[in-house]
Amino acid sequence: MTRILTYGTFDTFHYGHMEFLRRAHNLGDWLAVGVSTDKFNNIKGKQTFLPYETRIQILSGVKYVDLTFPETSWEQKRDDIIKYNIDIFVIGDDWRGKFDNLGDLCRVIYLPRTPDISTTQIKNILSFNR
Ligand code: CTP
């Protein structure tokens, strides 16, 4: 069984997220998603439209997602890869090169983003500029 891992905020869940999760799951058999907590987003200087519990609720209902767990720090990735026995770390190509250092533990794949849709765009439409 090939085990896949990704991380993200997945705020205002949209088609680009669904496409990403579909392609991520198709790289193997089992997909875990580390979802950034509201506290971790605060540390990053980001505020979400939807709280952590709601973002988790949506992701848990997606058929491509087998496990969700909280992402609370930048440093946890290596421990998570070992804990969940991960074969492939995958993330969108907006992060290209940023996680190559995990390559000693598993394969690292950057998937092309779906064009013309993002949380930032949706927040702008909602005039959510908190
Ligand atoms: N993603 C994607 N295509 C999009 C939007 C997101 O493939 N159009 C991917 C990202 O590359 C990431 C994952 O979905 O691996 C989670 O994305 P996230 O950063 O939570 O959402 P964005 O819409 O990219 O949010 P923002 O506008 O804040 O960057």
Side-chain angles (χ1 to χ4, degrees):
M1 184 165 85
T2 303
R3 296 162 72 90
I4 318 291
L5 173 65
T6 193
Y7 294 87
T9 304
F10 298 93
D11 190 20
T12 65
F13 194 85
H14 57 67
Y15 176 69
H17 292 149
M18 189 65 93
E19 270 300 286
F20 175 80
L21 295 168
R22 183 184 64 77
R23 290 177 297 150
H25 190 278
N26 280 352
L27 295 171
D29 309 292
W30 184 87
L31 174 64
V33 183
V35 183
S36 52
T37 61
D38 296 335
K39 201 170 162 191
F40 185 43
N41 277 322
N42 277 343
I43 292 168
K44 290 192 278 187
K46 280 172 74 170
Q47 188 165 9
T48 56
F49 183 72
L50 297 173
Y52 175 75
E53 291 72 20
T54 309
R55 291 181 284 116
I56 284 280
Q57 193 183 350
I58 295 167
L59 280 164
S60 304
V62 173
K63 68 177 178 180
Y64 308 116
V65 176
D66 296 291
L67 174 76
T68 55
F69 64 91
E71 182 193 25
T72 58
S73 78
W74 291 110
E75 298 81 34
Q76 75 187 72
K77 293 190 179 65
R78 298 188 74 82
D79 289 343
D80 292 343
I81 289 168
I82 294 163
K83 178 175 169 188
Y84 297 115
N85 200 12
I86 294 303
D87 300 291
I88 302 174
F89 172 90
V90 61
I91 199 148
D93 63 1
D94 40 323
W95 293 96
R96 184 168 293 285
K98 295 281 192 321
F99 297 107
D100 289 356
N101 62 307
L102 302 175
D104 60 329
L105 293 175
C106 63
R107 271 181 77 193
V108 177
I109 295 179
Y110 302 96
L111 288 179
R113 282 172 67 91
T114 301
D116 304 326
I117 185 153
S118 73
T119 296
T120 304
Q121 259 180 341
I122 294 169
K123 277 178 167 176
N124 285 341
I125 292 165
L126 294 168
S127 299
F128 181 76
N129 297 312
R130 279 196 256 152

